[in-house]
Amino acid sequence: MASQSQVLFDKESVYIHINVNSQTSDKDAHIPGKVYLIQKPEGTFIEWKAEEVISLDASQNDQEWAVIGSTCSVVNMNSKAEIRKKYNISFDVLDLKSFKRNAPNHGWAYIIFILKDGHPMTVDCLLYRNMTQICYPSHLMNYIYFLILLKFIKDPYTTTLGGFSKVTNFLRDVLIVQDASVTRPREEMADILQEDIPGMEISQQDEPGFEVVTKTKMPNRPEGVEPSIRVEVWKFLLGYYQWQSTYKTRTDERKRRVDDYFRMKLQWKTINAEQEKRFSLLKERKCLIEKDVTRTDRTHNFFEGEMNPNLQVLNDILMTYCMYNFDLGYVQGMSDLLSPILVVMENEVDAFWCFSGLMERLCTNFEMDQKGMKVQLSQIHKLMQFVDPELCNYLESHDSGNFYFCFRWLLIMFKREFSFPDVQRLWEVMWTDRPCKNFHLLLCLAILDTEKNTLMENKFGFTEILKHINDMCFAIHLQETLKKAEGIYLQLKQCKKLPDPIKEILGFEISPCSSSSSSSKTTPSSTPINRETTPKLELPVHVKENGFSAPSSGTGTAVTTPDDSSIEILPENAENGMNNFYN
Amino acid sequence: MASRGAQRPNGAAQGKICQFKLVLLGESAVGKSSLVLRFVKGQFHEYQESTIGAAFLTQTVCLDDTTVKFEIWDTAGQERYHSLAPMYYRGAQAAIVVYDITNQDTFGRAKTWVKELQRQASPNIVIALAGNKSDLANKRMVEYEEAQAYAEENSLLFMETSAKTAMNVNDIFLAIAKKLPKNETGGQAQPRQTGVKVGSEQNQQSEGGCCK
């Protein structure tokens, strides 16, 4: 009999959670073990077996095991092994009635299996813990855990899958490619998982039945650069110095840049009052800059005080930038972008060129038609539709489908949301364009995901959402948010049925065989998501087969503009003119 | 929207509660955010940072037996962000158009805002003109009489204010509150003629202003 059993899948370091109903302090006890999906002649079984006790490190062992149960807080090794074995689990997937999974917060997630007989099982909870918290770090490098979700084709609980199906579709490949702890050959894994399993189907097929969910451990995100070298690193990140430059070429380059800067500075400096009277555009900009310089980061010690000379430097750089890019001029928000750069550079010329480099990235935010802002707001919308349709629907139905509440985040790249050190770190992460293009949009999604419950449970509308988002400044945890954003990135990256518009936003390669890709490179996003035919669960499948269909209700007059993606996903009511840009 | 209970803690149970949407408009750095900050929190920051996008605050004032709750939209002043303004003044029952008495250009800009509101906002909108920074009288460039005459011509409430000294700040909000209709129907904002439609649902929550 044993020879006819086939292990379809296994995974180490899956924890079960015991005494979940206990009111005592031991209710959080976790037992490490290995989970299997086994094909037996009599059916497909999920099994969990406790790990061997001997592999435990003694010191951690005590810690781990002191809390097993209220009656056995002190046990010897042998009895521990016995205790563990009694928790071993095996059940036929056909006996599974439902399962429940929590939101994967705080680096861990769990799933509860409920059997059909209503019996909560010997152990009713399988807990998959963040590997970093358990005692076998060597096994678990760069990988957290995954869970197996099973459901049946005619499962009445299909709807419960909707909430996390978006997570499930992406991740099968992650385990195969990256999971170092899987001991069997990679090819074998792949073959098995692609086979049809009787009674189940794999999620990549049109009827999702078997889904493998993973949560991937983040590689440790760089903490930004060491502050002492920031002044040099930023020059490279912002295109002031070329990566392949040498000390010699950089010295020459800098000399040229210094000359160039002072040449342009002289241009506005030498305009006298008489000239200025007849140069209203320059005068207007000068006034704007003066107004904003006096109120930019005045609580920061670099700019505080009545006659702080750094204010003059801030002013001069912005005025010189006006001469450097007169078409753009000065727009409110620029002083916010310059301020952290000047604080790092502590040098007028270097700060100017780094600021110019930053403006290369962000100038479309400030253009008269606000095109950069429109495009980004619509890109967030598209991403959100795919990543979290539930929240997206909520926002749309609460006057916030325009995502206008993200305006400040985007315009000045979160400058007002974080402390100076965090802004500096965030910016240098963004400037690497890693892990992908437009990573800041995923950061928006990550923050909104964190706030999702607050927004939805309080039934916030347009004003409350905007107020809540505005009031979050200095209350966002940068590192956690970066991690979450990278998690979203990894999930999207692994998703094989990622719609082309999403790929375009994130700079992923678009496969040539894709139905809509032929035109999409030249006319970005000209194939908008049809919100009415975009069901949550089936989106990836749906997209693969049909590409995107045209909007069903083409009421908006601007809908056909091919080069402005923001207009195309407008709801009805599109009016002409500037006024509806932010719908 | 304005279905709050009419009970007040002090027992004035007969008092009405009215909710009004108010928007602040005006050239950048004239003191819009400072006026709101003074009115809502009683604070003043010499170097109040510029407003990016918009800010939303609320403040409640008592007027006889009526409690008036202001939902205040504070906007960015720079011309570049002008296209966003309709999103904020649509459905507003009141507006304060602010200029800086030390800067003639900002007065001209205020007139432009008034025109736009008269043309595009709710027909019954109550508009107040605020000549801010009255503490800087020695740098005055806009004469009181000139602004007052303009306000009369256009049926605007008018006061010179100082967010710094708090002069006339509460007064101008109270004057607006008095002028706003507080009967069952009068406070209703009319559907705006043009402007931004935000999201797919229109005016879900901005049509308050009625009293209960």
Side-chain angles (χ1 to χ4, degrees):
Chain A
M1 284 296 284
S3 62
Q4 293 176 21
S5 295
Q6 184 184 18
V7 175
L8 301 175
F9 179 77
D10 61 25
K11 174 65 187 158
E12 287 181 340
S13 303
V14 173
Y15 281 52
I16 62 163
H17 188 187
I18 62 167
N19 289 331
V20 288
N21 295 321
S22 166
Q23 296 304 306
T24 59
S25 61
D26 60 14
K27 62 183 173 183
D28 284 327
H30 308 125
I31 305 179
K34 191 167 179 176
V35 73
Y36 304 86
L37 182 62
I38 300 177
Q39 180 76 59
K40 297 181 181 179
E42 60 269 34
T44 306
F45 282 74
I46 292 176
E47 296 193 350
W48 177 89
K49 287 178 181 149
E51 295 218 17
E52 295 302 313
V53 172
I54 47 171
S55 64
L56 280 170
D57 171 78
S59 60
Q60 288 166 319
N61 182 29
D62 285 344
Q63 212 173 5
E64 187 72 25
W65 286 93
V67 290
I68 269 194
S70 54
T71 59
C72 54
S73 57
V74 181
V75 285
N76 63 36
M77 285 292 198
N78 288 336
S79 62
K80 284 175 198 166
E82 290 306 308
I83 290 166
R84 287 181 164 201
K85 280 179 185 166
K86 91 178 184 192
Y87 289 115
N88 285 352
I89 301 164
S90 175
F91 62 87
D92 189 323
V93 293
L94 293 172
D95 291 332
L96 189 62
K97 181 182 173 192
S98 69
F99 58 87
K100 193 167 109 182
R101 208 201 78 169
N102 79 324
N105 285 329
H106 310 301
W108 61 274
Y110 63 78
I111 181 166
I112 297 171
F113 293 111
I114 309 289
L115 300 190
K116 275 181 180 166
D117 60 5
H119 198 273
M121 302 165 56
T122 313
V123 174
D124 60 354
C125 179
L126 275 179
L127 181 78
Y128 303 80
R129 293 218 64 185
N130 183 335
M131 290 309 181
T132 58
Q133 294 174 11
I134 67 170
C135 46
Y136 312 104
S138 59
H139 290 183
L140 311 163
M141 296 286 281
N142 298 323
Y143 199 74
I144 295 189
Y145 59 76
F146 53 87
L147 15 132
I148 308 164
L149 301 183
L150 294 165
K151 79 179 181 73
F152 305 102
I153 295 168
K154 289 173 185 171
D155 185 284
Y157 297 88
T158 301
T159 50
T160 66
L161 284 169
F164 46 81
S165 62
K166 56 185 177 282
V167 185
T168 66
N169 294 302
F170 313 135
L171 299 158
R172 191 182 63 86
D173 293 21
V174 176
L175 13 146
I176 296 166
V177 177
Q178 295 181 6
D179 184 5
S181 67
V182 172
T183 52
R184 294 176 316 163
R186 179 190 294 184
E187 310 77 47
E188 186 191 343
M189 280 294 287
D191 288 343
I192 288 169
L193 283 169
Q194 282 163 5
E195 279 176 12
D196 278 346
I197 298 168
M200 295 185 290
E201 291 186 19
I202 293 176
S203 66
Q204 289 195 322
Q205 299 175 7
D206 290 354
E207 280 290 329
F210 177 85
E211 302 191 351
V212 182
V213 181
T214 65
K215 182 169 176 180
T216 308
K217 184 184 177 187
M218 296 303 118
N220 286 329
R221 275 211 71 84
E223 295 282 315
V225 303
E226 176 65 31
S228 62
I229 61 168
R230 188 165 273 151
V231 60
E232 291 305 312
V233 174
W234 279 22
K235 291 171 188 165
F236 289 91
L237 289 173
L238 291 169
Y240 180 10
Y241 291 155
Q242 300 304 306
W243 290 101
Q244 64 275 20
S245 62
T246 63
Y247 180 77
K248 171 75 169 63
T249 61
R250 283 196 294 276
T251 309
D252 295 346
E253 175 70 11
R254 185 163 192 286
K255 188 171 178 303
R256 194 182 66 75
R257 299 274 197 158
V258 170
D259 292 346
D260 215 17
Y261 176 77
F262 285 109
R263 180 182 58 76
M264 291 185 289
K265 185 175 177 178
L266 213 56
Q267 288 174 346
W268 63 269
K269 277 274 189 187
T270 53
I271 291 175
N272 63 22
E274 280 300 304
Q275 260 181 301
E276 199 175 275
K277 276 185 190 166
R278 295 180 295 272
F279 201 165
S280 57
L281 201 51
L282 186 76
K283 190 184 165 196
E284 192 181 294
R285 287 170 183 184
K286 194 175 162 185
C287 288
L288 276 172
I289 289 171
E290 278 170 10
K291 284 176 183 173
D292 280 359
V293 161
T294 56
R295 51 182 177 155
T296 300
D297 290 321
R298 294 301 298 278
T299 53
H300 190 282
N301 56 14
F302 195 81
F303 297 110
E304 71 187 358
E306 275 299 310
M307 300 294 288
N308 190 317
N310 292 324
L311 296 176
Q312 188 61 46
V313 181
L314 205 61
N315 182 84
D316 289 359
I317 294 172
L318 291 169
M319 279 302 293
T320 307
Y321 186 77
C322 270
M323 303 311 295
Y324 175 73
N325 189 349
F326 201 81
D327 289 345
L328 187 60
Y330 174 78
V331 188
Q332 243 169 28
M334 288 184 184
S335 67
D336 276 284
L337 294 175
L338 173 58
S339 150
I341 291 177
L342 183 57
V343 168
V344 167
M345 293 297 149
E346 295 184 308
N347 175 286
E348 183 174 343
V349 175
D350 294 337
F352 172 83
W353 288 110
C354 285
F355 174 69
S356 307
L358 177 56
M359 288 307 298
E360 288 293 308
R361 304 175 73 96
L362 298 178
C363 63
T364 57
N365 286 3
F366 297 99
E367 282 169 3
M368 189 53 98
D369 61 2
Q370 298 271 286
K371 189 177 175 194
M373 295 301 297
K374 289 183 296 173
V375 167
Q376 288 177 88
L377 292 171
S378 97
Q379 285 173 332
I380 292 181
H381 190 179
K382 282 176 191 162
L383 289 166
M384 183 68 89
Q385 270 179 329
F386 187 75
V387 170
D388 192 346
E390 186 190 17
L391 181 55
C392 194
N393 288 340
Y394 178 85
L395 294 171
E396 285 171 7
S397 61
H398 288 77
D399 277 352
S400 299
N402 55 7
F403 285 81
Y404 181 69
F405 52 85
C406 298
F407 187 90
R408 190 174 73 192
W409 294 355
L410 299 173
L411 186 80
I412 50 175
M413 197 49 93
F414 299 96
K415 155 69 166 54
R416 296 268 181 101
E417 319 308 319
F418 294 102
S419 67
F420 250 67
D422 275 357
V423 165
Q424 291 167 346
R425 193 146 58 90
L426 170 63
W427 283 6
E428 58 206 14
V429 170
M430 295 305 160
W431 298 340
T432 63
D433 290 320
R434 303 284 173 83
C436 64
K437 193 173 106 181
N438 284 323
F439 186 57
H440 67 288
L441 300 180
L442 300 184
L443 200 72
C444 295
L445 260 56
I447 299 172
L448 293 174
D449 181 72
T450 306
E451 299 306 311
K452 177 179 177 178
N453 288 343
T454 307
L455 301 182
M456 291 179 65
E457 283 168 12
N458 292 302
K459 298 189 165 52
F460 282 169
F462 179 70
T463 54
E464 293 91 352
I465 292 172
L466 189 131
K467 182 170 168 54
H468 180 75
I469 297 294
N470 272 358
D471 291 348
M472 274 168 52
C473 61
F474 299 112
I476 307 169
H477 193 291
L478 178 61
Q479 195 64 15
E480 290 304 312
T481 309
L482 281 173
K483 275 186 192 169
K484 188 179 267 192
E486 189 163 347
I488 296 170
Y489 157 78
L490 287 170
Q491 290 178 343
L492 291 172
K493 187 72 182 170
Q494 297 298 332
C495 175
K496 286 199 164 174
K497 299 183 181 73
L498 203 58
D500 283 354
I502 304 284
K503 289 184 186 170
E504 278 175 7
I505 292 169
L506 301 176
F508 293 169
E509 193 181 343
I510 294 171
S511 58
C513 59
S514 177
S515 59
S516 63
S517 64
S518 56
S519 62
S520 58
K521 278 193 174 172
T522 49
T523 57
S525 309
S526 60
T527 48
I529 293 170
N530 180 346
R531 63 177 68 195
E532 289 178 19
T533 57
T534 306
K536 296 177 188 178
L537 186 61
E538 294 83 356
L539 176 63
V541 176
H542 178 80
V543 166
K544 187 198 82 178
E545 293 179 346
N546 303 333
F548 290 106
S549 48
S552 56
S553 56
T555 54
T557 52
V559 165
T560 51
T561 309
D563 61 349
D564 191 335
S565 58
S566 70
I567 294 175
E568 293 160 353
I569 56 167
L570 287 182
E572 61 284 7
N573 304 335
E575 291 178 357
N576 58 354
M578 293 286 284
N579 289 349
N580 57 28
F581 278 157
Y582 293 91
N583 276 7
Chain B
M1 198 57 202
S3 59
R4 315 275 189 286
Q7 295 289 333
R8 286 161 71 180
N10 61 8
Q14 301 311 310
K16 295 180 288 187
I17 296 185
C18 297
Q19 185 164 298
F20 295 107
K21 177 177 172 182
L22 182 149
V23 61
L24 277 102
L25 299 166
E27 179 59 275
S28 80
V30 296
K32 295 179 294 299
S33 300
S34 293
L35 283 173
V36 178
L37 193 67
R38 172 63 77 186
F39 176 57
V40 173
K41 296 183 179 170
Q43 298 173 350
F44 177 76
H45 298 154
E46 185 72 38
Y47 304 118
Q48 174 69 34
E49 62 186 3
S50 63
T51 303
I52 303 281
F56 177 77
L57 297 97
T58 57
Q59 177 65 303
T60 304
V61 296
C62 290
L63 200 69
D64 305 325
D65 65 338
T66 306
T67 302
V68 174
K69 182 181 178 190
F70 282 114
E71 292 190 320
I72 304 165
W73 285 96
D74 178 23
T75 62
Q78 195 181 349
E79 176 64 29
R80 189 67 53 110
Y81 302 118
H82 183 176
S83 62
L84 303 172
M87 180 153 54
Y88 298 108
Y89 65 64
R90 76 173 180 113
Q93 289 95 1
I96 302 180
V97 176
V98 187
Y99 69 93
D100 171 0
I101 66 157
T102 71
N103 185 326
Q104 184 72 39
D105 292 345
T106 65
F107 184 56
R109 182 88 184 104
K111 290 178 180 174
T112 313
W113 277 118
V114 170
K115 269 190 211 127
E116 178 166 340
L117 288 173
Q118 287 170 338
R119 202 172 59 243
Q120 309 233 48
S122 309
N124 299 325
I125 189 169
V126 173
I127 305 174
L129 183 68
N132 195 35
K133 307 195 186 181
S134 65
D135 53 292
L136 301 176
N138 58 335
K139 294 184 186 170
R140 176 186 291 278
M141 300 298 288
V142 182
E143 292 306 322
Y144 182 91
E145 292 74 19
E146 180 190 1
Q148 191 180 38
Y150 171 78
E152 274 175 21
E153 277 168 36
N154 289 275
S155 310
L156 314 175
L157 288 167
F158 171 64
M159 286 185 197
E160 285 195 345
T161 58
S162 169
K164 189 171 185 172
T165 67
M167 189 189 93
N168 278 346
V169 174
N170 288 347
D171 307 68
I172 197 165
F173 281 92
L174 277 171
I176 291 166
K178 279 181 189 158
K179 199 171 171 184
L180 284 163
K182 284 170 285 295
N183 53 47
E184 288 296 325
T185 55
Q188 289 287 352
Q190 302 302 312
R192 86 262 176 288
Q193 296 157 329
T194 57
V196 169
K197 288 166 179 154
V198 176
S200 52
E201 302 296 320
Q202 292 182 39
N203 295 351
Q204 273 193 341
Q205 56 183 351
S206 303
E207 302 291 354
C210 56
C211 301
K212 296 261 167 126

